Amino acid sequence: MFELKEVYKSFISEGGQVEAVSNVCLRIDKGEIFGIIGSSGAGKSTLIRCLNLLEKPEKGKVIFKGHDLLSLSKKQMRHERKKIGMVFQNFNLLASRTVFENVAFPIGTKTKSEVKEKVLALLEIVGISDKVNNYPNQLSGGQKQRVAIARALANDPHVLLCDEATSALDPQTTASILSLLKELNEKLNLTIILITHEMSVIKSICHRVAIMDKGKIIEVDTVINIFTNPKKPLTKSFIQESFNHKEIRNLIDKNKLFKENSHLYEFIYKQESASKALIATLIKKYQLEINIIAGKIEIISGESIGHLVIIIEGEDKSVKSALRFLSSQGVLVKEFEENE
Amino acid sequence: MNNLEKLFPNVMDLKVIIFTETLATIKMVVIAGAIAFLIGLVLAIGLVLFRKKGLFPNKLLFQLIDSLVNVFRAVPFVILLVAIFPLTRLLVGTTLGLAGSIVPLVFATAPFFARQIESALLDVEDGLIEAAISMGCSNFEIVYRVYLREAIPGLIRAITITLISLLSLTTMVGAIAGGGIGDLALMYGLRRNMLDITYITVIIILAMVYLIQFSAVLALKKLNKGEKKNEKVVN
Ligand SMILES: Nc1ncnc2c1ncn2[C@@H]1O[C@H](COP(=O)(O)OP(=O)(O)O)[C@@H](O)[C@H]1O
Ligand SMILES: [Mg+2]
């Protein structure tokens, strides 16, 4: 669907030159939900805006369905943009137009009744048919984003770009918008590219994810692999944010749980390894004392992922062989580190 | 009736003149206002499009319009009026009467209008423009379907402020080119010491200001459905 080759974009600011997107290469396939996660200022927005040339890369290629967008004329580019829908963090609805008029806005050469049919069908899909004649300021954030999504779909795009589409919404509304996106992906086979700073968003709907830092993509993989086998420290810190490590540390110190021959570990494992009663094996076979400090199981891309923070007590030798056993069972074992 | 005549002894005698001069002022405001609006609109769109972050950045054109607007706004009206006499004569053949008034009024009002409209257009959020670009709109479509449409409340406010300031300019132009309510106040109120004529001109002007603001409030209210509540008309 999209292929980025060595895309580069910098800005001149007071502090000098900022390399917002630095030689990014990326391939996004048809039909997938692709997430890009990074901290604020990592260059996510700039990168996603390079996809429809809202931001023009200084170097590199942006290939959309086989065409290099940078080589198109203005008119051809406008035509291509109609196939690339985009939604924004703050919705960007036209305040002077009703919901109907907003969704009808991008629709080009069609008769009045065709437009009406199309708009009503779109509003049905995004689930706000009852607000046709309302103005944007009469809607909640979630409803506004639904209108924005309907508008972005008005020209039957092949791909939908979402720039922090849920970041202005509360958790419940976020969940409902994400499930709408997922539905669109499944029903319409719509390719979706979304950027976010929240791992929970990636976790709930993305198939693949890229981690972005200081203008560079540092890791790309399926979400399940990223969660079970993250490689870069930043990736780890993103997936660890579901546990508050500082609080866990405080808990351990407060209750004096940590003894001389204690080892503190974090285990991340897929369901298949979980079902093999890992903990029981550790206790029985390796004669270890196990103290579970924190734990949870999450469903990611349809697979359940376990996450435990554990204190292991026992002889160094048996601890080592226990850890080896765990690795052989596909459990990711990490020393517990505090992240800020 | 008797009391009224005592209070306004000359008004009754001069009511025809008062009526025609009021009409003259209205004509000045409407004609000069309409022409200045169109010129101001073009200048403002130019300023918005050609600015650094505009759709069509062009430093040269931006600075040209920007300084043109500044210069004409900086010159005090009475001086501008006199300074462009030759141009006025060239354009309409006279410097007197309605025709002679319109030219300087347009010159003084268009830059003012341009600034007001510019600020109304700049109030349209950049995000809306980006959304429109992302939907494949052309620059022309963005100007008339987004900028102008979304700025309508701001444009109404711009028109209100500008018309009121134009109204006060018409009284000054009346003193030199002749005609209008300002002329009336000078000719009768001042020179012939008819105090009641001065008062009636004040009342008429106030009524006009009120009418302009009232229409603006009404128009905004009609639009208010789509806009945030509590929009006020600035004056
Ligand atoms: N229009 C711009 N002008 C100057 N600097 C910019 C502009 N847009 C983004 N930047 C800078 O580029 C970097 C990346 O920004 P952005 O892509 O918005 O990051 P993110 O969306 O990941 O928070 C930041 O340092 C930001 O300050
Ligand atoms: Mg951003």
Side-chain angles (χ1 to χ4, degrees), chain A residues 252-284:
Chain A
I252 293 168
D253 292 345
K254 201 173 129 206
N255 298 318
K256 301 199 170 53
L257 296 172
F258 206 73
K259 305 207 186 76
E260 201 156 321
N261 57 346
S262 294
H263 305 265
L264 188 53
Y265 285 107
E266 209 172 338
F267 297 168
I268 297 173
Y269 53 91
K270 291 190 198 178
Q271 182 67 50
E272 46 198 274
S273 15
S275 62
K276 288 172 192 161
L278 293 167
I279 303 297
T281 317
L282 291 190
I283 296 171
K284 274 191 210 144

mmCIF file of all heavy atoms in Angstrom, chain A residues 252-284:
data_model
loop_
_atom_site.group_PDB
_atom_site.id
_atom_site.type_symbol
_atom_site.label_atom_id
_atom_site.label_comp_id
_atom_site.label_asym_id
_atom_site.label_seq_id
_atom_site.Cartn_x
_atom_site.Cartn_y
_atom_site.Cartn_z
ATOM 1 N N ILE A 252 7.976 -3.491 47.377
ATOM 2 C CA ILE A 252 8.970 -4.478 47.805
ATOM 3 C C ILE A 252 9.764 -3.959 48.993
ATOM 4 O O ILE A 252 9.952 -4.648 49.990
ATOM 5 C CB ILE A 252 9.909 -4.827 46.631
ATOM 6 C CG1 ILE A 252 9.114 -5.573 45.558
ATOM 7 C CG2 ILE A 252 11.091 -5.657 47.097
ATOM 8 C CD1 ILE A 252 9.853 -5.717 44.244
ATOM 9 N N ASP A 253 10.203 -2.689 48.889
ATOM 10 C CA ASP A 253 10.995 -2.117 49.966
ATOM 11 C C ASP A 253 10.189 -2.002 51.245
ATOM 12 O O ASP A 253 10.659 -2.314 52.336
ATOM 13 C CB ASP A 253 11.513 -0.731 49.558
ATOM 14 C CG ASP A 253 12.545 -0.844 48.447
ATOM 15 O OD1 ASP A 253 13.031 -1.978 48.228
ATOM 16 O OD2 ASP A 253 12.844 0.174 47.799
ATOM 17 N N LYS A 254 8.957 -1.557 51.101
ATOM 18 C CA LYS A 254 8.104 -1.317 52.279
ATOM 19 C C LYS A 254 7.872 -2.617 53.044
ATOM 20 O O LYS A 254 7.936 -2.657 54.272
ATOM 21 C CB LYS A 254 6.772 -0.725 51.820
ATOM 22 C CG LYS A 254 6.037 0.024 52.925
ATOM 23 C CD LYS A 254 4.819 0.730 52.376
ATOM 24 C CE LYS A 254 3.600 0.386 53.211
ATOM 25 N NZ LYS A 254 2.374 0.502 52.444
ATOM 26 N N ASN A 255 7.617 -3.680 52.323
ATOM 27 C CA ASN A 255 7.303 -4.950 52.973
ATOM 28 C C ASN A 255 8.516 -5.843 53.177
ATOM 29 O O ASN A 255 8.391 -6.997 53.554
ATOM 30 C CB ASN A 255 6.230 -5.684 52.179
ATOM 31 C CG ASN A 255 4.943 -4.891 52.140
ATOM 32 O OD1 ASN A 255 4.535 -4.315 53.146
ATOM 33 N ND2 ASN A 255 4.335 -4.824 50.975
ATOM 34 N N LYS A 256 9.696 -5.277 52.898
ATOM 35 C CA LYS A 256 10.955 -6.020 53.061
ATOM 36 C C LYS A 256 10.876 -7.408 52.421
ATOM 37 O O LYS A 256 11.186 -8.433 53.041
ATOM 38 C CB LYS A 256 11.295 -6.138 54.553
ATOM 39 C CG LYS A 256 11.449 -4.794 55.222
ATOM 40 C CD LYS A 256 12.224 -4.918 56.521
ATOM 41 C CE LYS A 256 12.619 -3.583 57.109
ATOM 42 N NZ LYS A 256 11.507 -2.628 57.275
ATOM 43 N N LEU A 257 10.401 -7.437 51.189
ATOM 44 C CA LEU A 257 10.215 -8.712 50.508
ATOM 45 C C LEU A 257 11.519 -9.255 49.940
ATOM 46 O O LEU A 257 11.636 -10.420 49.621
ATOM 47 C CB LEU A 257 9.210 -8.539 49.362
ATOM 48 C CG LEU A 257 7.803 -8.159 49.798
ATOM 49 C CD1 LEU A 257 6.952 -7.816 48.592
ATOM 50 C CD2 LEU A 257 7.163 -9.273 50.601
ATOM 51 N N PHE A 258 12.458 -8.368 49.818
ATOM 52 C CA PHE A 258 13.687 -8.734 49.132
ATOM 53 C C PHE A 258 14.727 -9.216 50.135
ATOM 54 O O PHE A 258 15.130 -8.467 51.022
ATOM 55 C CB PHE A 258 14.185 -7.497 48.380
ATOM 56 C CG PHE A 258 15.014 -7.840 47.187
ATOM 57 C CD1 PHE A 258 14.396 -8.351 46.063
ATOM 58 C CD2 PHE A 258 16.380 -7.664 47.205
ATOM 59 C CE1 PHE A 258 15.150 -8.661 44.955
ATOM 60 C CE2 PHE A 258 17.138 -7.974 46.105
ATOM 61 C CZ PHE A 258 16.519 -8.478 44.960
ATOM 62 N N LYS A 259 15.139 -10.467 49.998
ATOM 63 C CA LYS A 259 16.148 -10.989 50.942
ATOM 64 C C LYS A 259 17.480 -11.143 50.238
ATOM 65 O O LYS A 259 17.618 -10.823 49.055
ATOM 66 C CB LYS A 259 15.669 -12.333 51.492
ATOM 67 C CG LYS A 259 14.284 -12.213 52.121
ATOM 68 C CD LYS A 259 14.058 -13.253 53.185
ATOM 69 C CE LYS A 259 12.632 -13.193 53.667
ATOM 70 N NZ LYS A 259 11.680 -13.790 52.700
ATOM 71 N N GLU A 260 18.459 -11.677 50.990
ATOM 72 C CA GLU A 260 19.813 -11.703 50.460
ATOM 73 C C GLU A 260 19.952 -12.489 49.158
ATOM 74 O O GLU A 260 20.547 -12.035 48.203
ATOM 75 C CB GLU A 260 20.769 -12.275 51.497
ATOM 76 C CG GLU A 260 22.193 -11.862 51.212
ATOM 77 C CD GLU A 260 23.024 -11.914 52.474
ATOM 78 O OE1 GLU A 260 22.505 -11.531 53.545
ATOM 79 O OE2 GLU A 260 24.152 -12.353 52.382
ATOM 80 N N ASN A 261 19.363 -13.678 49.143
ATOM 81 C CA ASN A 261 19.494 -14.492 47.925
ATOM 82 C C ASN A 261 18.258 -14.379 47.010
ATOM 83 O O ASN A 261 17.900 -15.311 46.312
ATOM 84 C CB ASN A 261 19.783 -15.953 48.281
ATOM 85 C CG ASN A 261 18.693 -16.504 49.184
ATOM 86 O OD1 ASN A 261 17.894 -15.736 49.721
ATOM 87 N ND2 ASN A 261 18.658 -17.814 49.341
ATOM 88 N N SER A 262 17.621 -13.203 47.068
ATOM 89 C CA SER A 262 16.453 -12.992 46.213
ATOM 90 C C SER A 262 16.872 -12.445 44.858
ATOM 91 O O SER A 262 17.868 -11.733 44.737
ATOM 92 C CB SER A 262 15.497 -11.977 46.846
ATOM 93 O OG SER A 262 14.970 -12.495 48.018
ATOM 94 N N HIS A 263 16.094 -12.803 43.840
ATOM 95 C CA HIS A 263 16.304 -12.238 42.510
ATOM 96 C C HIS A 263 14.974 -11.714 42.026
ATOM 97 O O HIS A 263 13.957 -12.386 42.180
ATOM 98 C CB HIS A 263 16.813 -13.299 41.544
ATOM 99 C CG HIS A 263 18.046 -13.981 42.025
ATOM 100 N ND1 HIS A 263 19.302 -13.584 41.662
ATOM 101 C CD2 HIS A 263 18.208 -15.032 42.872
ATOM 102 C CE1 HIS A 263 20.194 -14.359 42.251
ATOM 103 N NE2 HIS A 263 19.552 -15.252 43.006
ATOM 104 N N LEU A 264 15.007 -10.543 41.466
ATOM 105 C CA LEU A 264 13.752 -9.941 41.000
ATOM 106 C C LEU A 264 13.701 -10.011 39.472
ATOM 107 O O LEU A 264 14.598 -9.535 38.790
ATOM 108 C CB LEU A 264 13.691 -8.487 41.470
ATOM 109 C CG LEU A 264 12.394 -7.732 41.244
ATOM 110 C CD1 LEU A 264 11.203 -8.469 41.801
ATOM 111 C CD2 LEU A 264 12.485 -6.351 41.876
ATOM 112 N N TYR A 265 12.650 -10.637 38.972
ATOM 113 C CA TYR A 265 12.548 -10.827 37.527
ATOM 114 C C TYR A 265 11.167 -10.437 37.011
ATOM 115 O O TYR A 265 10.185 -10.391 37.749
ATOM 116 C CB TYR A 265 12.803 -12.297 37.155
ATOM 117 C CG TYR A 265 14.252 -12.668 37.238
ATOM 118 C CD1 TYR A 265 14.712 -13.477 38.274
ATOM 119 C CD2 TYR A 265 15.154 -12.206 36.283
ATOM 120 C CE1 TYR A 265 16.048 -13.819 38.359
ATOM 121 C CE2 TYR A 265 16.490 -12.548 36.369
ATOM 122 C CZ TYR A 265 16.931 -13.343 37.393
ATOM 123 O OH TYR A 265 18.255 -13.678 37.480
ATOM 124 N N GLU A 266 11.168 -10.209 35.708
ATOM 125 C CA GLU A 266 9.920 -9.939 35.035
ATOM 126 C C GLU A 266 9.755 -11.004 33.944
ATOM 127 O O GLU A 266 10.687 -11.260 33.190
ATOM 128 C CB GLU A 266 10.043 -8.554 34.376
ATOM 129 C CG GLU A 266 8.766 -7.833 34.244
ATOM 130 C CD GLU A 266 9.007 -6.406 33.772
ATOM 131 O OE1 GLU A 266 10.113 -5.866 33.935
ATOM 132 O OE2 GLU A 266 8.058 -5.859 33.220
ATOM 133 N N PHE A 267 8.613 -11.648 33.922
ATOM 134 C CA PHE A 267 8.366 -12.685 32.899
ATOM 135 C C PHE A 267 7.275 -12.210 31.965
ATOM 136 O O PHE A 267 6.235 -11.732 32.395
ATOM 137 C CB PHE A 267 7.859 -13.995 33.534
ATOM 138 C CG PHE A 267 8.826 -14.663 34.459
ATOM 139 C CD1 PHE A 267 8.384 -15.697 35.277
ATOM 140 C CD2 PHE A 267 10.156 -14.285 34.514
ATOM 141 C CE1 PHE A 267 9.259 -16.328 36.143
ATOM 142 C CE2 PHE A 267 11.044 -14.917 35.371
ATOM 143 C CZ PHE A 267 10.588 -15.948 36.195
ATOM 144 N N ILE A 268 7.498 -12.394 30.685
ATOM 145 C CA ILE A 268 6.432 -12.134 29.723
ATOM 146 C C ILE A 268 6.278 -13.388 28.880
ATOM 147 O O ILE A 268 7.277 -13.928 28.375
ATOM 148 C CB ILE A 268 6.783 -10.926 28.831
ATOM 149 C CG1 ILE A 268 6.905 -9.667 29.711
ATOM 150 C CG2 ILE A 268 5.702 -10.711 27.768
ATOM 151 C CD1 ILE A 268 7.409 -8.448 28.988
ATOM 152 N N TYR A 269 5.070 -13.885 28.752
ATOM 153 C CA TYR A 269 4.902 -15.167 28.071
ATOM 154 C C TYR A 269 3.568 -15.253 27.357
ATOM 155 O O TYR A 269 2.597 -14.629 27.729
ATOM 156 C CB TYR A 269 5.014 -16.310 29.079
ATOM 157 C CG TYR A 269 4.083 -16.152 30.258
ATOM 158 C CD1 TYR A 269 2.803 -16.710 30.229
ATOM 159 C CD2 TYR A 269 4.471 -15.443 31.385
ATOM 160 C CE1 TYR A 269 1.936 -16.553 31.298
ATOM 161 C CE2 TYR A 269 3.615 -15.281 32.457
ATOM 162 C CZ TYR A 269 2.350 -15.836 32.414
ATOM 163 O OH TYR A 269 1.503 -15.661 33.460
ATOM 164 N N LYS A 270 3.568 -16.060 26.299
ATOM 165 C CA LYS A 270 2.322 -16.311 25.586
ATOM 166 C C LYS A 270 1.533 -17.390 26.303
ATOM 167 O O LYS A 270 2.080 -18.173 27.068
ATOM 168 C CB LYS A 270 2.628 -16.799 24.162
ATOM 169 C CG LYS A 270 3.227 -15.730 23.283
ATOM 170 C CD LYS A 270 3.262 -16.223 21.850
ATOM 171 C CE LYS A 270 4.230 -15.389 21.032
ATOM 172 N NZ LYS A 270 4.361 -15.828 19.666
ATOM 173 N N GLN A 271 0.295 -17.463 25.967
ATOM 174 C CA GLN A 271 -0.601 -18.398 26.635
ATOM 175 C C GLN A 271 -0.080 -19.839 26.600
ATOM 176 O O GLN A 271 -0.126 -20.552 27.584
ATOM 177 C CB GLN A 271 -1.989 -18.318 25.991
ATOM 178 C CG GLN A 271 -3.031 -19.208 26.638
ATOM 179 C CD GLN A 271 -3.346 -18.749 28.044
ATOM 180 O OE1 GLN A 271 -3.604 -17.593 28.283
ATOM 181 N NE2 GLN A 271 -3.298 -19.661 28.999
ATOM 182 N N GLU A 272 0.463 -20.228 25.448
ATOM 183 C CA GLU A 272 0.881 -21.624 25.323
ATOM 184 C C GLU A 272 1.899 -22.010 26.384
ATOM 185 O O GLU A 272 1.871 -23.111 26.920
ATOM 186 C CB GLU A 272 1.456 -21.888 23.925
ATOM 187 C CG GLU A 272 2.424 -20.821 23.514
ATOM 188 C CD GLU A 272 2.666 -20.800 22.004
ATOM 189 O OE1 GLU A 272 3.541 -21.565 21.586
ATOM 190 O OE2 GLU A 272 2.003 -20.041 21.292
ATOM 191 N N SER A 273 2.797 -21.067 26.706
ATOM 192 C CA SER A 273 3.756 -21.390 27.759
ATOM 193 C C SER A 273 3.085 -21.285 29.137
ATOM 194 O O SER A 273 3.399 -22.038 30.048
ATOM 195 C CB SER A 273 4.988 -20.497 27.701
ATOM 196 O OG SER A 273 4.776 -19.384 26.898
ATOM 197 N N ALA A 274 2.144 -20.381 29.249
ATOM 198 C CA ALA A 274 1.488 -20.181 30.535
ATOM 199 C C ALA A 274 0.749 -21.448 30.955
ATOM 200 O O ALA A 274 0.771 -21.827 32.118
ATOM 201 C CB ALA A 274 0.512 -19.026 30.435
ATOM 202 N N SER A 275 0.143 -22.072 29.969
ATOM 203 C CA SER A 275 -0.691 -23.216 30.298
ATOM 204 C C SER A 275 0.124 -24.389 30.848
ATOM 205 O O SER A 275 -0.399 -25.345 31.359
ATOM 206 C CB SER A 275 -1.490 -23.640 29.062
ATOM 207 O OG SER A 275 -0.571 -24.023 28.065
ATOM 208 N N LYS A 276 1.415 -24.291 30.683
ATOM 209 C CA LYS A 276 2.231 -25.409 31.169
ATOM 210 C C LYS A 276 2.613 -25.261 32.642
ATOM 211 O O LYS A 276 3.602 -25.859 33.084
ATOM 212 C CB LYS A 276 3.478 -25.535 30.289
ATOM 213 C CG LYS A 276 3.128 -26.072 28.910
ATOM 214 C CD LYS A 276 4.311 -26.022 27.991
ATOM 215 C CE LYS A 276 3.838 -26.296 26.564
ATOM 216 N NZ LYS A 276 4.818 -25.824 25.585
ATOM 217 N N ALA A 277 1.866 -24.460 33.336
ATOM 218 C CA ALA A 277 2.062 -24.347 34.779
ATOM 219 C C ALA A 277 3.516 -24.081 35.157
ATOM 220 O O ALA A 277 4.171 -24.855 35.850
ATOM 221 C CB ALA A 277 1.547 -25.601 35.471
ATOM 222 N N LEU A 278 4.004 -22.988 34.611
ATOM 223 C CA LEU A 278 5.418 -22.652 34.796
ATOM 224 C C LEU A 278 5.822 -22.524 36.252
ATOM 225 O O LEU A 278 6.844 -23.049 36.683
ATOM 226 C CB LEU A 278 5.691 -21.320 34.082
ATOM 227 C CG LEU A 278 5.576 -21.367 32.563
ATOM 228 C CD1 LEU A 278 5.552 -19.965 32.006
ATOM 229 C CD2 LEU A 278 6.742 -22.161 32.004
ATOM 230 N N ILE A 279 4.994 -21.808 36.971
ATOM 231 C CA ILE A 279 5.358 -21.498 38.346
ATOM 232 C C ILE A 279 5.484 -22.785 39.176
ATOM 233 O O ILE A 279 6.452 -22.968 39.930
ATOM 234 C CB ILE A 279 4.298 -20.561 38.979
ATOM 235 C CG1 ILE A 279 4.157 -19.286 38.147
ATOM 236 C CG2 ILE A 279 4.642 -20.241 40.423
ATOM 237 C CD1 ILE A 279 5.413 -18.445 38.100
ATOM 238 N N ALA A 280 4.526 -23.661 38.943
ATOM 239 C CA ALA A 280 4.558 -24.925 39.688
ATOM 240 C C ALA A 280 5.849 -25.679 39.414
ATOM 241 O O ALA A 280 6.486 -26.219 40.324
ATOM 242 C CB ALA A 280 3.351 -25.767 39.295
ATOM 243 N N THR A 281 6.242 -25.686 38.133
ATOM 244 C CA THR A 281 7.486 -26.366 37.776
ATOM 245 C C THR A 281 8.686 -25.760 38.502
ATOM 246 O O THR A 281 9.552 -26.473 39.001
ATOM 247 C CB THR A 281 7.720 -26.281 36.255
ATOM 248 O OG1 THR A 281 6.486 -26.542 35.601
ATOM 249 C CG2 THR A 281 8.783 -27.258 35.817
ATOM 250 N N LEU A 282 8.704 -24.443 38.547
ATOM 251 C CA LEU A 282 9.836 -23.781 39.201
ATOM 252 C C LEU A 282 9.942 -24.216 40.653
ATOM 253 O O LEU A 282 11.018 -24.469 41.175
ATOM 254 C CB LEU A 282 9.664 -22.252 39.142
ATOM 255 C CG LEU A 282 9.776 -21.577 37.784
ATOM 256 C CD1 LEU A 282 9.832 -20.068 37.963
ATOM 257 C CD2 LEU A 282 11.014 -22.068 37.046
ATOM 258 N N ILE A 283 8.784 -24.271 41.291
ATOM 259 C CA ILE A 283 8.792 -24.606 42.709
ATOM 260 C C ILE A 283 9.189 -26.072 42.908
ATOM 261 O O ILE A 283 10.094 -26.379 43.687
ATOM 262 C CB ILE A 283 7.401 -24.337 43.320
ATOM 263 C CG1 ILE A 283 7.092 -22.831 43.249
ATOM 264 C CG2 ILE A 283 7.362 -24.802 44.776
ATOM 265 C CD1 ILE A 283 5.681 -22.473 43.609
ATOM 266 N N LYS A 284 8.535 -26.939 42.118
ATOM 267 C CA LYS A 284 8.759 -28.385 42.334
ATOM 268 C C LYS A 284 10.124 -28.832 41.832
ATOM 269 O O LYS A 284 10.924 -29.401 42.549
ATOM 270 C CB LYS A 284 7.674 -29.182 41.599
ATOM 271 C CG LYS A 284 6.414 -29.344 42.435
ATOM 272 C CD LYS A 284 5.499 -30.361 41.774
ATOM 273 C CE LYS A 284 4.057 -30.038 42.084
ATOM 274 N NZ LYS A 284 3.182 -30.341 40.956
#
